[in-house]
């Protein structure tokens, strides 16, 4: 029992930086996107959703490809966002 608790504590401590790293990577990707480095940002976001699917990131990728006039890719990512969360909206309800 003690070994199991100790193992769980160690795993949770080691897993925390991984979660924070991917969140900071997403923030960096968003910053790159808005600075005009869209292709680099898109690659980072695509890598992030492979590790942790998120409707917000899928939606953002859809919008990024929409802006780049790549409608098939945009539709693919919008579809993934809605598949994960029906009626997904990037705006919070008011």
């Amino acid at each position: 029992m003690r070994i199991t608790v100790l193992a769980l504590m160690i795993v949770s401590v080691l897993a925390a930086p991984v979660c924070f790293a991917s969140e900071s990577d997403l923030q960096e990707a968003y910053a790159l996107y808005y600075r005009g480095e869209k292709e680099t940002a898109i690659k980072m976001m695509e890598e992030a959703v492979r590790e942790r699917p998120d409707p917000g990131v899928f939606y953002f990728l859809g919008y990024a490809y929409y802006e780049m006039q790549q409608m098939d890719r945009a539709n693919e990512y919008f579809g993934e966002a809605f598949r994960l969360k029906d009626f997904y909206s990037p705006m919070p309800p008011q």
Side-chain angles (χ1 to χ4, degrees):
M1 180 69 170
R2 286 183 180 175
I3 294 174
T4 304
V5 172
L6 180 60
L8 288 173
M9 288 174 51
I10 291 171
V11 168
S12 66
V13 168
L14 294 175
V18 172
C19 294
F20 292 132
S22 62
E23 186 64 32
S24 66
D25 289 345
L26 275 176
Q27 294 301 321
E28 181 182 348
Y30 291 133
L32 287 169
Y33 182 85
Y34 288 115
R35 283 195 307 247
E37 298 179 44
K38 292 181 180 182
E39 290 181 16
T40 303
I42 287 170
K43 287 178 187 176
M44 290 177 73
M45 285 185 248
E46 288 175 334
E47 190 173 306
V49 292
R50 267 185 251 132
E51 294 174 15
R52 186 175 49 158
D54 179 270
V57 179
F58 279 126
Y59 188 91
F60 196 91
L61 282 164
Y63 185 76
Y65 279 111
Y66 168 80
E67 282 191 327
M68 296 169 58
Q69 302 294 310
Q70 294 183 25
M71 299 309 172
D72 289 338
R73 294 298 300 266
N75 189 41
E76 175 187 333
Y77 283 114
F78 283 136
E80 285 297 315
F82 294 119
R83 185 184 62 77
L84 288 177
K85 184 175 181 185
D86 288 346
F87 304 108
Y88 177 77
S89 173
M91 302 298 294
Q94 298 200 18

